[in-house]
Amino acid sequence: WKIHKKTCVPLDEVVEKLITAPDNGALREVLKWKGRMNELTATSDAADWRGVLKLEGRMEELMEGREDVICEYILRVFCKAHQLAYCSTDDTKHSMKLIPLQERRVHLLGKMERFRDQADTICAVADNFLSFARREEAESYYKRARKVGEKHGFFSVECRACIGLGEMAMKEGRTTEGLELLRNA
């Protein structure tokens, strides 16, 4: 500890040296957003959905020109905040705002070739549509999730999609189709 204490350089000094280095333009760009991202991360980690949602008006600004992985993280944080808000308040506006955010994540995850996360998010969108009795949209998303699951061998996603489709078919009186889907699950 004593040796470390003598040789240790404060993190701010290290960051300052990195920023001023001539070949670190990308790092300078990332660190420019550090304060806002730290605020977003801190409120998200604390499950402070109110704090995150206060930043929602600046979401596009946070995402502008960022790498896909950062944009996906930002979208995921706002999705989580709306889910927590809905669970806490039962206010359906949060669930409705969640759907377009999830749809953006689906697109971005596909672009990033993170197909497992994409398929899980597609199922989440279907679940949300189903909660609003928008059966056609829900069915479309469950079928889409099933295709992604089949294509990439994600059996749990296929199962989840088949259960969703099967339960919908059973409720609509299509018992033969529903039972077949539920057996596939």
Side-chain angles (χ1 to χ4, degrees):
W1 171 250
K2 289 179 184 181
I3 295 170
H4 170 74
K5 199 171 179 181
K6 289 178 184 176
T7 62
C8 185
V9 177
L11 181 61
D12 291 338
E13 287 181 32
V14 173
V15 170
E16 187 63 34
K17 285 180 185 176
L18 288 171
I19 290 173
T20 56
D23 60 341
N24 280 337
L27 181 62
R28 279 192 293 279
E29 184 62 24
V30 168
L31 290 174
K32 178 175 103 175
W33 295 91
K34 183 180 171 194
R36 290 184 185 135
M37 288 300 291
N38 284 347
E39 184 180 358
L40 181 64
T41 302
T43 54
S44 172
D45 290 347
D48 176 14
W49 58 267
R50 286 181 181 91
V52 172
L53 294 181
K54 284 180 186 174
L55 298 170
E56 190 170 29
R58 294 173 27 204
M59 182 178 72
E60 296 302 326
E61 178 187 342
L62 286 170
M63 293 174 57
E64 188 177 331
R66 303 295 135 234
E67 294 179 17
D68 290 343
V69 68
I70 294 172
C71 292
E72 190 278 326
Y73 170 77
I74 293 168
L75 287 169
R76 187 168 14 108
V77 166
F78 284 106
C79 284
K80 180 181 171 186
H82 278 292
Q83 287 169 334
L84 291 170
Y86 175 67
C87 291
S88 298
T89 65
D90 255 357
D91 187 346
T92 56
K93 79 174 181 184
H94 294 293
S95 193
M96 287 300 289
K97 285 187 172 186
L98 184 58
I99 292 171
L101 292 173
Q102 287 174 322
E103 288 174 329
R104 285 180 71 180
R105 273 193 78 218
V106 165
H107 172 75
L108 197 54
L109 289 166
K111 184 177 166 186
M112 296 166 59
E113 297 183 0
R114 288 180 42 196
F115 300 114
R116 173 57 187 240
D117 293 331
Q118 181 190 37
D120 285 335
T121 306
I122 292 170
C123 282
V125 174
D127 293 341
N128 278 336
F129 276 129
L130 197 55
S131 72
F132 289 108
R134 292 170 60 180
R135 295 191 180 288
E136 289 177 12
E137 291 101 326
E139 184 175 2
S140 169
Y141 273 87
Y142 280 132
K143 287 179 179 178
R144 187 172 164 195
R146 187 175 180 194
K147 284 181 186 175
V148 173
E150 286 174 354
K151 182 177 179 179
H152 298 285
F154 304 135
F155 300 114
S156 63
V157 172
E158 282 184 77
C159 178
R160 183 175 171 189
C162 282
I163 289 171
L165 289 167
E167 287 176 350
M168 285 176 56
M170 295 295 283
K171 287 178 184 174
E172 294 171 1
R174 298 177 287 147
T175 53
T176 306
E177 181 185 351
L179 287 173
E180 182 63 30
L181 286 161
L182 292 171
R183 276 190 209 106
N184 283 339

